Amino acid sequence: MENEIAQTLDIAADKAQYDSAARKLVAQKAVLAYILKSAMDEFVHIPVKQIAEELIEGTPQIAEAAVHQDTPDAPRAGSVKMSGTDRVRNMATEDVTIREGKVLYDIRFVVRIPQNGEQIEIIVNVELQSRDTPGYPIPKRGIYYGSRLISAQRGTVFKNQEYEKINKVVSIWICENSAVSRSDTINEYYFCENRRRGNYQEERKNYDLMRVIVMRLGSQGEESEDDAIRLLSKVFSENITADDKKRVLSEEFNIAVTDSIEQEVERMCNLSDGLEERCMARGFAKGQAAGFAEGQAAGWAEGQAEGRAAGRAEGRAEGAMETLFSLVKKGLLTVSAAAQQAEMAASEFEQKYRTFYNKK
């Protein structure tokens, strides 16, 4: 029991550290830019470099930047890499209400979209999930998170009846492990207008206020034609070394591998290896325990079967002896003849005969 608890705590600690490293890596503006370009129509025609460096609002978290002291790789001739230094600004990562309790966001930031000559602000939430079937529908949880992102704007973005000031929110869910049939897919859920009668059409900006996007990586993600899915699949892959992951970021996706990115990639790979080893050890221990229990059950069943067989044989033998005793007592069979039938000496048979009737 103690060993099981210790292993579980170790795995939980490694998992928490892995998740923390993954969030820090995905929170880099260059990585977020690829996600936004794949997930939202507004960014389809905007270069990822512009998204990362001009449209994602915020500055590096000062306390964290002072610790890491990031230094980007020197740019290759003819190319300018996107900065791998900037992480989204330190927004509050939780909303709290008395009734609803606490809701934690993995990543939350503001992005500005050029629209009709002005910059429209959108609040984006990115969530990382180990699998897409956690026991509840991901889109429903995404809608809940999106709703909280909207309600949390009251008192900051708008007050009282100023609902026209509400910012659009987008909740993006990245699922690492998915079945093959759902692998390498992106699904989007949003409000749309259905004119049931008449020709009046509301302006889209007045109702298109929340989107939920589910990106499933899965086994086919590393070969995806979508840049964001391919990038994330390779970064999260257990089959690619840390050095190869850094090479992919730099050469395939033109992201400068800073000290911060390098550290998070290394940490994720090391923790992933540790998790695998711990889980294998725990699985082996459980297998041993299960095998022992199964062996006990099998042994008990086998013992029962053997006992029943031995009991039946012994019962048959006792019945045959009693028959011989009865024939001798009735004078229909001599002791010598009966002993011969029982395959034992006459003296032994006679002793058993006397004992049998004395007990009676």
Side-chain angles (χ1 to χ4, degrees), residues 49 53 73-76 79-83 249-251 253-257:
K49 182 175 174 62
E53 298 181 357
D73 292 345
R76 285 184 170 78
S79 71
V80 178
K81 291 189 179 298
M82 290 180 288
S83 171
L249 288 172
S250 178
E251 297 178 4
F253 296 99
N254 202 37
I255 297 174
V257 179

Side-chain angles (χ1 to χ4, degrees), residues 15 19 23 93-95 100 102-107 125-150 169-175 189 210-214 216:
K15 181 67 168 62
D19 291 345
R23 284 193 292 269
T93 56
E94 63 183 53
D95 287 327
E100 294 184 49
K102 181 182 292 186
V103 179
L104 297 177
Y105 301 106
D106 280 355
I107 304 167
N125 159 230
V126 177
E127 296 291 324
L128 304 181
Q129 294 283 295
S130 60
R131 61 186 189 279
D132 67 339
T133 54
Y136 54 81
I138 291 288
K140 284 192 173 184
R141 186 176 175 186
I143 291 170
Y144 173 73
Y145 274 44
S147 301
R148 292 293 291 116
L149 287 168
I150 288 179
V169 302
V170 177
S171 187
I172 302 173
W173 294 72
I174 300 170
C175 306
Y189 309 90
M210 180 169 64
R211 293 188 196 175
V212 175
I213 297 161
V214 182
R216 295 177 172 88

Side-chain angles (χ1 to χ4, degrees), residues 63-135:
E64 185 173 339
V67 171
H68 290 305
Q69 294 295 325
D70 293 347
T71 305
D73 292 345
R76 285 184 170 78
S79 71
V80 178
K81 291 189 179 298
M82 290 180 288
S83 171
T85 302
D86 288 345
R87 188 176 299 152
V88 296
R89 66 184 172 88
N90 187 17
M91 298 179 64
T93 56
E94 63 183 53
D95 287 327
V96 180
T97 67
I98 293 175
R99 291 182 180 276
E100 294 184 49
K102 181 182 292 186
V103 179
L104 297 177
Y105 301 106
D106 280 355
I107 304 167
R108 190 176 71 166
F109 60 97
V110 173
V111 63
R112 297 181 181 276
I113 299 176
Q115 197 171 88
N116 300 325
E118 60 178 331
Q119 298 281 334
I120 306 299
E121 285 192 353
I122 294 181
I123 300 172
V124 181
N125 159 230
V126 177
E127 296 291 324
L128 304 181
Q129 294 283 295
S130 60
R131 61 186 189 279
D132 67 339
T133 54

